Amino acid sequence: MPQPHRTDEHDLVLPCGFDDIVRVIDRYVVDRRTGIPPRRQSSRHRLPALLFAREQAADPAAAGGSPAGVATDDTGRGEPDPALSALVHVYHHRLVRLSTGETGHLASLAPHALVDEELLACDRPGEDGEGQDGPHVRLLDRVARQLRVTMPDGSGTLRLTEFDACLSVLRADVVPGDVTDERRALRDTIYDKYAWKFGFAAEVTRLGEELGAKQWSAITKLVTTPLAWLWRWSYGVRIDRGARFRWVGGMLDEPGRSFLNAAMSLRDAHLRSRAQDRAGQEAPADEDAPAAAAMSAVSAVAARDEAVVRQVLLTALIHDLARAARPPVWSVRRPRRRWPFVLLLPTVGGDGSPSRRLLNSFFAVSEDVGTCPLLVLGAATGDLPPYAVGLPRHGGPFHGTRHSGNGTTVTTAQAVASLLAEGASGQPVEAVRVVPLSRVPDNGATAERPVVRRTVRSRDRRAGDWLRPVVAAVAVTAVVAAGLFQVVRPGETHSRTEPDPNPPATDTWCPRVSTGERVGITDGSDNCELAHGLYAPELRELEARLGRQNAGVDRTKPYRTLVFFAPLSVGSASRRTVPTGFQMLRGALLAQQQVNDLNLKSQMPIRLLVANAGEYFAFGSHGGLNTTNHSGVDVARMIVDRIHRDHIAGVIGLTQSRPESLQAAIELDAQGVTVLGTGVSGQPMVEGDSPVSYFQLSAPDARVARIMASFARHSPRLAALTKIGPGHTAPAAVVVFDPHDAYFSTDLKTRFTAAYRSAGPVYPVPYGESSNNSQTPSVAAGICALIRRTDGFILYAGRSSVMHDLFYYLQDDKQCRTHQGRVAVLAESAAPNLVLHPEMMPQEYGSLSLFYSQFSLPDADGPFVRNFRTSFDVSSDSDAAAGYDAVKVFFKVMNQISVTDPHFTPSAVVTFLQSTGVTDYVGESGIMTIGKGHKYPVDKEVDIREITEDGTKITDLTCGAVSAKAAAVTRWGPSGSFFCPEDD
């Protein structure tokens, strides 16, 4: 490997405390999961990139002012300094040592790569081969080569399958023409370069020599030709349709599962960027203004294409490194690969520098790659990136040096250790962190000390490494033998303890689970009490009302049962907010009472069951998409088992967009049971795996995100609390989302960002249900720092259950409390008790102003609102209206079906909705047309409401169908100034 330019270790003086920081980094270079107990290690972890900067001067005026782009009140970010580049080179020397064996070769202590921009600038390849790559591709290729070469002794070979395949796509010699021919050419290129070739062993070849050349040649052609063709075909199918490369299409917004289609789009982007690069080099210097403007627009597109290519290659490389860092459980190399892959960026300069662009791509892709065993160390030699976040400050700003006795630089090392520990344990961390280094020299100590005094030691090979593969082989053999024994002699493995043939009702229909909750199904009078946890009294009252209303249904005559299915309890130790399903259940109970009190000539009485799926819908389904339920409890299965006994016609509720709730809908769909979701908005619920019998009464995130983006751009009320930065047309959005919540939070964040980023900057901040409670103060501090720096607003894309936790610490944070004006928060899913009791906002969270979306505005003077308050002594809202309308929609459909088929089954409801549907249904949650090709209401009403300073609610936006047989509302704002986004 070519050696980079080496600094003079005797001339370079280290900053005070740099030794402490190096020792912290060393621990994670030796073992990226250091300090994390094996049972607490998460399969998804990501170390933050560390960017060295110089600590800001105490007096900015004396130091010549703040550098461009650095806020003077941001004490954690520091300032760039070109001299810091040498420190990264020093650490690079630390990762290589002379072997202790007889060979005397240089041994790598951890796989690493150094980006040397000087060597990259001197590299001028011709037009053939790699000359078409461009510097961004050559840079990543050099990084991959260095990582391969620097694999420590005894750790095996680094295989970069995805990276090599994507690189081959860019370098393939494909003649433009028919799409099918281009696809075939790309497939053949990858196959010829990387696929294992079908052939015969040497012993068979010697057999052919004995038989004779002609006869053997005919036999080999006859046998190998079809086998080789079959192998080539299957390899092409795996490459094109396999799950490994499916992410490429997602990054390129390419529909379908075909990798080759996405690969052609990737090649097109690469060729466009290279053509524009050559055109820019050959363009005359005296272009006129129109030509210069056109060239500028084309250059912007080329820069975007180049960034896309770089992000795809970097994502492929990270996927390969994650796979290499965690070999299979039976691999002898698994215990030897504890280190991360180290990427060194000595010169992270301005926006145009190669290292800065590479760091930009790392920031862009790091959130979505899951596990990232790449440790990035860089030095800020130009303007600091805007996304780089300073170290958390515990106990005030730093002053002085380590040797002055007040612990400044030791605290810097401790902050770095804390960040690396959070990333190693799987907790969400910022992608790039700035590490400000002291301006005080370390008593004249030179760089020779960290190079000579190495504490980094790669793990040597041990005899015990073979224990894991041997145990794995024995375990597999034992499982196979036990399975064969069970097949051969099945009668001898019965349990000695026979199960109770008549288990109690509570064990059958409402078992107690590990969280202390009782989950299952009840009719309110069967001694199955599902109430548990913090909000048990509320649910207990609703169960009693359920029993009374069901007792009034004459079960000797035709009737049908609906099941309200949702999470209705929290665990014993949980302090989450009240479940949203309570209001929907109240609405459903009110609707059941009203429809059963009707005296129609022909009507189907309704009986109602309540099914509790447990907190997070954990026990609502089993297997499939539900990977969290490891018990034998499956509430969806309980509903299926009672279809005939209780004459179940359909299920309403779900209330949450989760893989667990979608899996429940899939299990019910297998038995032809219609599910009508309420309060469900995640796009995956109506796409992809969504079953044909699933419908919902709420608009999906694709519509909600666009409406929220339009509101954030144009709302005068929100604009009064924010400021628009230079170069933008809308305020900055600090998007708080849960990276582990793909069905709701991450989906909403992605769609809002796509609709908003052309107008204003977006700063994602991870926070969610699975976050450690101790992290919430630091998350709130980071959000408030961003709000203070950008004067933007918070887009809360998280769950309502953890909104109070975050609001408490936002209210308690100094930067939010002292912000000029209240901090605006725009949320899709607001905490239910804040909506029902808006006076809580000014009383408890006076520095925040809450805007939230909902799917209807029930008439405040209408009978529904009056009856609801009379029945339950609480205010109604859009959730209550949704539960009410779900029962009414089923009632309408069942009455129409029963005219021609009095003994209809659940599948008849599915058939009716698919073929006939419900058109212009006037409900309390809006005007709805659903079914007949529509899984959710067309142009569903969406409102954005605001809780004002005096604790009252006002409506700032209304879009969609809000009156019967009338056109949908298409404008909002003062005098209808702004267009409402339309449905897809």
Side-chain angles (χ1 to χ4, degrees):
M1 182 184 70
Q3 291 294 320
H5 173 67
R6 297 178 64 89
T7 57
D8 191 338
E9 297 165 359
H10 299 280
D11 296 336
L12 177 64
V13 178
L14 299 178
C16 183
F18 185 69
D19 267 356
D20 298 318
I21 297 173
V22 165
R23 281 193 288 271
V24 169
I25 297 173
D26 281 350
R27 291 203 301 270
Y28 289 89
V29 169
V30 172
D31 185 351
R32 64 185 183 277
R33 315 300 296 279
T34 186
I36 309 299
R39 293 186 178 181
R40 296 183 60 187
Q41 291 183 0
S42 170
S43 60
R44 296 169 64 90
H45 60 278
R46 184 189 73 209
L47 298 176
L50 302 180
L51 188 62
F52 295 141
R54 188 67 71 183
E55 191 177 45
Q56 285 185 330
D59 183 4
S66 297
V70 179
T72 57
D73 60 346
D74 189 353
T75 59
R77 279 165 56 88
E79 300 174 352
D81 185 355
L84 297 176
S85 174
L87 298 181
V88 179
H89 283 287
V90 166
Y91 198 81
H92 176 240
H93 302 158
R94 190 175 176 83
L95 294 176
V96 180
R97 65 179 174 85
L98 194 64
S99 172
T100 56
E102 298 179 356
T103 59
H105 67 285
L106 284 177
S108 175
L109 303 173
H112 59 276
L114 183 135
V115 175
D116 194 322
E117 295 189 7
E118 294 181 1
L119 289 179
L120 190 68
C122 295
D123 189 8
R124 293 284 186 255
E127 291 301 316
D128 298 329
E130 299 179 9
Q132 300 291 337
D133 284 351
H136 57 296
V137 176
R138 292 201 302 274
L139 185 150
L140 282 167
D141 189 21
R142 284 180 177 274
V143 168
R145 292 183 184 183
Q146 291 183 60
L147 293 176
R148 283 187 169 109
V149 171
T150 57
M151 288 288 286
D153 295 339
S155 60
T157 303
L158 177 60
R159 302 184 186 279
L160 304 177
T161 307
E162 294 185 22
F163 180 81
D164 288 340
C166 292
L167 196 62
S168 296
V169 167
L170 301 181
R171 292 176 174 174
D173 185 13
V174 177
V175 178
D178 182 69
V179 173
T180 304
D181 293 338
E182 291 186 25
R183 282 170 48 90
R184 185 180 297 112
L186 287 177
R187 181 201 64 190
D188 292 345
T189 298
I190 299 173
Y191 176 84
D192 293 338
K193 195 164 186 178
Y194 299 111
W196 175 81
K197 301 303 186 297
F198 185 84
F200 282 105
E203 292 80 2
V204 182
T205 304
R206 286 195 295 269
L207 175 62
E209 293 175 356
E210 297 176 4
L211 293 176
K214 287 187 177 182
Q215 294 86 345
W216 184 242
S217 177
I219 293 174
T220 55
K221 288 182 178 179
L222 182 65
V223 175
T224 60
T225 298
L227 291 179
W229 176 89
L230 182 62
W231 175 250
R232 191 183 194 96
W233 172 82
S234 64
Y235 183 85
V237 170
R238 293 200 309 274
I239 285 291
D240 188 31
R241 298 286 179 175
R244 173 173 288 189
F245 291 95
R246 202 169 294 166
W247 58 269
V248 180
M251 289 191 69
L252 299 174
D253 293 329
E254 185 74 25
R257 299 184 301 165
S258 173
F259 167 67
L260 295 178
N261 288 345
M264 290 194 294
S265 297
L266 181 65
R267 270 184 62 81
D268 291 342
H270 179 60
L271 295 177
R272 282 196 304 268
S273 66
R274 299 305 305 130
Q276 176 57 28
D277 184 51
R278 290 191 293 270
Q281 295 174 1
E282 299 170 1
D286 56 348
E287 290 181 335
D288 55 2
M295 181 61 71
S296 176
V298 175
S299 298
V301 175
R304 181 200 64 191
D305 290 337
E306 179 181 313
V308 167
V309 172
R310 189 187 304 110
Q311 290 176 18
V312 169
L313 287 177
L314 183 58
T315 302
L317 180 61
I318 292 176
H319 286 173
D320 288 328
L321 297 182
R323 196 174 292 111
R326 192 174 177 83
V329 68
W330 56 83
S331 173
V332 70
R333 297 190 178 99
R334 187 181 179 96
R336 301 174 190 169
R337 294 188 177 184
R338 295 179 176 177
W339 26 251
F341 297 84
V342 183
L343 177 60
L344 304 170
L345 306 177
T347 51
V348 180
D351 288 332
S353 73
S355 295
R356 172 66 172 274
R357 291 178 175 175
L358 181 59
L359 189 63
N360 293 345
S361 298
F362 176 80
F363 171 76
V365 306
S366 59
E367 286 182 6
D368 302 322
V369 294
T371 298
C372 180
L374 190 64
L375 175 60
V376 181
L377 300 178
T381 59
D383 292 341
L384 292 176
Y387 49 78
V389 181
L391 294 180
R393 300 296 190 180
H394 303 291
F398 299 159
H399 299 288
T401 67
R402 176 174 180 266
H403 300 288
S404 64
N406 53 20
T408 294
T409 52
V410 172
T411 306
T412 303
Q414 291 172 348
V416 171
S418 175
L419 289 174
L420 293 177
E422 290 178 3
S425 63
Q427 302 178 37
V429 293
E430 299 288 347
V432 181
R433 285 283 192 169
V434 177
V435 180
L437 301 177
S438 174
R439 294 178 176 273
V440 180
D442 193 1
N443 296 334
T446 67
E448 183 179 7
R449 182 169 61 189
V451 172
V452 175
R453 300 181 183 177
R454 295 184 177 91
T455 59
V456 180
R457 291 290 184 270
S458 60
R459 186 183 182 281
D460 296 327
R461 286 172 286 190
R462 303 173 186 171
D465 294 347
W466 291 97
L467 178 63
R468 185 188 297 268
V470 169
V471 170
V474 171
V476 170
T477 303
V479 170
V480 172
L484 292 175
F485 183 80
Q486 174 68 18
V487 172
V488 175
R489 306 180 70 178
E492 298 188 12
T493 58
H494 289 168
S495 173
R496 295 181 182 179
T497 304
E498 295 294 332
D500 184 1
N502 297 305
T506 52
D507 293 339
T508 304
W509 301 115
C510 48
R512 189 178 299 278
V513 292
S514 57
T515 59
E517 304 166 86
R518 279 205 179 272
V519 300
I521 189 168
T522 181
D523 65 357
S525 59
D526 54 5
N527 297 321
C528 265
E529 184 178 293
L530 302 177
H532 176 80
L534 194 59
Y535 308 101
E538 292 184 57
L539 183 56
R540 197 171 288 118
E541 291 179 6
L542 297 177
E543 288 179 340
R545 182 187 179 103
L546 173 71
R548 292 193 300 270
Q549 292 186 182
N550 283 336
V553 177
D554 186 355
R555 300 179 66 179
T556 63
K557 298 179 180 179
Y559 73 95
R560 287 297 182 271
T561 298
L562 298 179
V563 182
F564 183 86
F565 188 17
L568 295 170
S569 62
V570 295
S572 299
S574 179
R575 303 289 299 178
R576 301 306 189 199
T577 188
V578 58
T580 57
F582 280 15
Q583 280 290 85
M584 298 179 194
L585 177 55
R586 291 186 179 106
L589 286 168
L590 179 60
Q592 182 203 18
Q593 176 190 2
Q594 291 182 357
V595 298
N596 286 344
D597 288 344
L598 294 174
N599 293 307
L600 302 181
K601 183 178 179 180
S602 176
Q603 73 176 67
M604 183 63 68
I606 291 179
R607 187 165 169 264
L608 193 64
L609 300 180
V610 170
N612 179 24
E615 192 171 16
Y616 310 136
F617 220 103
F619 303 97
S621 57
H622 190 276
L625 300 175
N626 188 341
T627 59
T628 61
N629 184 7
H630 303 295
S631 70
V633 179
D634 184 351
V635 180
R637 182 73 251 175
M638 296 180 190
I639 297 173
V640 169
D641 291 342
R642 293 180 64 157
I643 289 177
H644 300 294
R645 163 184 160 177
D646 290 288
H647 303 282
I648 293 175
V651 172
I652 61 175
L654 296 192
T655 74
Q656 295 181 357
S657 306
R658 298 183 186 271
E660 294 83 0
S661 58
L662 184 56
Q663 177 61 31
I666 292 172
E667 293 180 25
L668 295 168
D669 173 73
Q671 302 299 321
V673 178
T674 301
V675 178
L676 191 55
T678 55
V680 180
S681 61
Q683 201 72 25
M685 299 295 290
V686 293
E687 295 179 351
D689 295 318
S690 180
V692 296
S693 65
Y694 175 79
F695 304 88
Q696 64 184 44
L697 296 185
S698 47
D701 278 344
R703 174 173 170 79
V704 177
R706 291 198 301 271
I707 290 177
M708 296 178 77
S710 176
F711 179 80
R713 287 184 177 187
H714 305 300
S715 168
R717 301 280 302 179
L718 189 138
L721 302 173
T722 59
K723 294 180 182 178
I724 299 176
H728 301 286
T729 60
V734 179
V735 180
V736 179
F737 76 105
D738 186 348
H740 304 294
D741 187 0
Y743 274 53
F744 170 69
S745 185
T746 302
D747 178 61
L748 178 61
K749 170 251 185 185
T750 301
R751 296 178 184 278
F752 176 84
T753 302
Y756 189 77
R757 61 186 169 195
S758 62
V762 176
Y763 300 93
V765 176
Y767 168 74
E769 295 170 321
S770 59
S771 300
N772 192 322
N773 291 337
S774 62
Q775 284 187 303
T776 309
S778 62
V779 171
I783 293 172
C784 291
L786 283 170
I787 292 295
R788 189 172 185 88
R789 190 165 74 235
T790 63
D791 286 316
F793 68 97
I794 300 172
L795 189 284
Y796 184 77
R799 298 275 181 180
S800 62
S801 60
V802 289
M803 175 178 275
H804 276 293
D805 301 65
L806 183 63
F807 275 21
Y808 174 82
Y809 289 104
L810 290 176
Q811 175 69 20
D812 197 47
D813 189 89
K814 178 182 177 181
Q815 297 196 67
C816 281
R817 289 284 292 272
T818 59
H819 185 261
Q820 186 175 2
R822 291 175 297 154
V823 176
V825 182
L826 176 58
E828 178 182 348
S829 181
N833 46 356
L834 292 180
V835 176
L836 293 176
H837 307 287
E839 66 277 2
M840 291 177 60
M841 276 302 297
Q843 291 172 0
E844 299 186 16
Y845 312 119
S847 62
L848 308 178
S849 182
L850 178 61
F851 302 79
Y852 63 93
S853 69
Q854 61 184 46
F855 296 118
S856 67
L857 287 174
D859 184 2
D861 299 322
F864 167 72
V865 173
R866 292 197 306 270
N867 293 333
F868 191 89
R869 178 172 286 280
T870 301
S871 299
F872 303 104
D873 197 27
V874 294
S875 301
S876 63
D877 59 7
S878 65
D879 286 341
Y884 181 87
D885 283 347
V887 173
K888 287 294 193 75
V889 168
F890 262 109
F891 181 69
K892 177 183 176 70
V893 171
M894 290 190 299
N895 284 343
Q896 290 184 253
I897 296 174
S898 64
V899 172
T900 57
D901 183 9
H903 306 288
F904 66 90
T905 61
S907 60
V909 179
V910 179
T911 303
F912 181 91
L913 288 174
Q914 289 177 329
S915 59
T916 305
V918 177
T919 304
D920 289 334
Y921 174 77
V922 184
E924 297 299 332
S925 63
I927 311 304
M928 292 172 286
T929 296
I930 190 171
K932 203 175 181 180
H934 301 287
K935 296 182 79 68
Y936 51 89
V938 180
D939 289 325
K940 179 69 177 74
E941 176 183 352
V942 177
D943 308 282
I944 293 184
R945 308 200 75 190
E946 174 188 356
I947 299 179
T948 62
E949 288 183 278
D950 58 0
T952 59
K953 294 185 287 188
I954 61 174
T955 303
D956 294 337
L957 174 148
T958 295
C959 289
V962 295
S963 60
K965 299 295 183 182
V969 175
T970 58
R971 288 178 174 271
W972 69 278
S975 304
S977 306
F978 311 114
F979 284 100
C980 291
E982 297 180 352
D983 259 331
D984 290 333

